[in-house]
Amino acid sequence: MTQHTRAEIDQLMEASLAALRAPSILNSQPWRWRTRGPDVELQLDPDRRLPGVDPAGRLMMMSCGAALHHALAALAGAGYAGDVDRLPAGARPDVVARVRLGPAVPPDRSASAAINRRRTDRRPFADVPPSDRDLSALRAAAHRHGVALQILRADQVDAFADIVALAGAAEREVPAYTRDVAEWSDRARTSGDGVSLADVSASGPYRVPPRDFALDRRPGLDPGGGTDRGTVYAVLVTRGEDRADWLAAGEAMSDVWLTLTARGLAASPISEVVEVPQAAAALRRLLGWTGHPAIAFRIGRPGDPTPPPPSTRRAGTDVVGLPGDP
Ligand SMILES: Cc1cc2nc3c(=O)[nH]c(=O)nc-3n(C[C@H](O)[C@H](O)[C@H](O)COP(=O)(O)O)c2cc1C
């Protein structure tokens, strides 16, 4: 390997390590990175499937999309373009993307600087809603990936809350679902994955409450002083519903989230609405059949100036292979 290629691989490995901080369904981190010649390959990790929550693998693919976008944001921050082949033709089905170092470009830290500050903030948000400029920036972030971000009108929020409640109630009746949530929200401290009950708040003045991770256990996050009155609800909508659409939705989700973090806003996703087919259909109807809802978000100004603690991650050596690793 030439010196030049080794430096390129190092840059790509650093970007894959930065992508450890990407959000993922139940913090399952369902990906791994492997070097293949001059590329790093992003692969689905089949051992991290969630058969109850995500039988089709949609949220797993979206999580990989978020990791891919985080890696590309890290490369842009270091002053490199990434040359990406998404779902490469003829590759094994677990191969999500191949990334090669592109040309040097002026460093753009607008997204990479937000990677370590981004959190899932499930607490009630503040009184004052995000500004119109904020919302335009978020729509533009989704649009960069061919995905629409539909912000719900105030008169749609009650119907949306009903759909989320319907999805939550339906899921609680499905043993495979509750098994996944219980398993991934009560992990050994050393596992480096899963949702900690310390990141989930018990109650608050929510119009649309976050997912019930606790399932009769005790959540540990202080909800803070937010009223949740300024919270807006948004849905990422794709044109189709295949793996490429889910991957694009994941990249859009990451872009929207890093963009809102950079603007001082906070968010938490609501994916129950796409996990339950009847809820997804009701949401499509609410949105006027404009496309396929990929995920919903609650977005607001933080109700509390102290961010929630960072959630755990696996060690880089568990996720990113060295050159020569199978
Ligand atoms: C595809 C996807 C779906 C998610 N769905 C939910 C959800 O329904 N409710 C929720 O509170 N968090 C949801 N999350 C957030 C994850 O739980 C969170 O990213 C993970 O626990 C890591 O925490 P962090 O985002 O603070 O780093 C989702 C994340 C992804 C990528």
Side-chain angles (χ1 to χ4, degrees), residues 21-28 58-60 62-63 66 118-122 194-196 199 210-211 213 253 257 268-272 275 294-295 309-313:
R21 292 250 36 106
S24 59
I25 178 69
L26 292 175
N27 200 15
S28 56
R58 170 212 299 259
L59 301 170
M60 188 180 196
M62 285 183 62
S63 302
R118 186 206 57 80
R119 303 275 189 277
T120 297
D121 190 341
R122 303 185 180 89
V195 175
S196 163
D199 297 339
R211 188 197 292 271
F213 290 94
M253 172 182 196
W257 211 337
S268 67
I270 303 174
S271 56
E272 298 99 298
E275 292 159 17
I295 198 159
S311 56
T312 187
R313 290 297 185 276

Side-chain angles (χ1 to χ4, degrees), residues 39-278:
D39 300 336
V40 286
E41 204 168 81
L42 173 61
Q43 303 173 350
L44 293 164
D45 182 341
D47 294 340
R48 297 180 162 268
R49 277 184 209 289
L50 302 168
V53 170
D54 184 32
R58 170 212 299 259
L59 301 170
M60 188 180 196
M61 184 60 85
M62 285 183 62
S63 302
C64 288
L68 175 60
H69 178 264
H70 266 55
L72 295 172
L75 280 183
Y80 291 96
D83 187 356
V84 189
D85 189 3
R86 292 173 177 79
L87 302 172
R92 290 195 322 249
D94 62 329
V95 176
V96 175
R98 293 194 180 118
V99 184
R100 188 172 293 196
L101 206 65
V105 291
D108 175 0
R109 294 192 32 84
S110 55
S112 64
I115 287 179
N116 286 320
R117 284 190 290 117
R118 186 206 57 80
R119 303 275 189 277
T120 297
D121 190 341
R122 303 185 180 89
R123 300 171 300 179
F125 297 136
D127 267 350
V128 180
S131 68
D132 288 345
R133 285 178 68 136
D134 287 331
L135 298 181
S136 300
L138 303 186
R139 281 195 202 91
H143 194 69
R144 285 195 273 274
H145 307 274
V147 176
L149 183 74
Q150 264 186 263
I151 315 281
L152 298 189
R153 298 187 313 266
D155 66 325
Q156 293 175 311
V157 174
D158 281 345
F160 176 68
D162 288 346
I163 296 170
V164 175
L166 176 144
E171 288 192 315
R172 284 188 76 108
E173 300 301 315
V174 179
Y177 167 84
T178 49
R179 224 177 1 252
D180 275 354
V181 173
E183 185 187 328
W184 286 90
S185 56
D186 188 18
R187 307 285 279 177
R189 216 172 256 263
T190 49
S191 71
D193 55 17
V195 175
S196 163
L197 293 187
D199 297 339
V200 182
S201 45
S203 55
Y206 295 111
R207 213 161 154 198
V208 183
R211 188 197 292 271
D212 177 14
F213 290 94
L215 300 171
D216 303 326
R217 293 163 297 169
R218 266 170 76 98
L221 182 66
D222 182 338
T227 64
D228 222 31
R229 278 201 284 266
T231 303
V232 299
Y233 302 89
V235 184
L236 282 173
V237 179
T238 53
R239 275 191 219 107
E241 260 207 309
D242 61 19
R243 283 161 45 96
D245 294 305
W246 299 344
L247 181 58
E251 291 183 74
M253 172 182 196
S254 169
D255 203 338
V256 167
W257 211 337
L258 293 179
T259 302
L260 70 86
T261 303
R263 300 178 79 87
L265 300 173
S268 67
I270 303 174
S271 56
E272 298 99 298
V273 285
V274 297
E275 292 159 17
V276 175
Q278 301 91 305

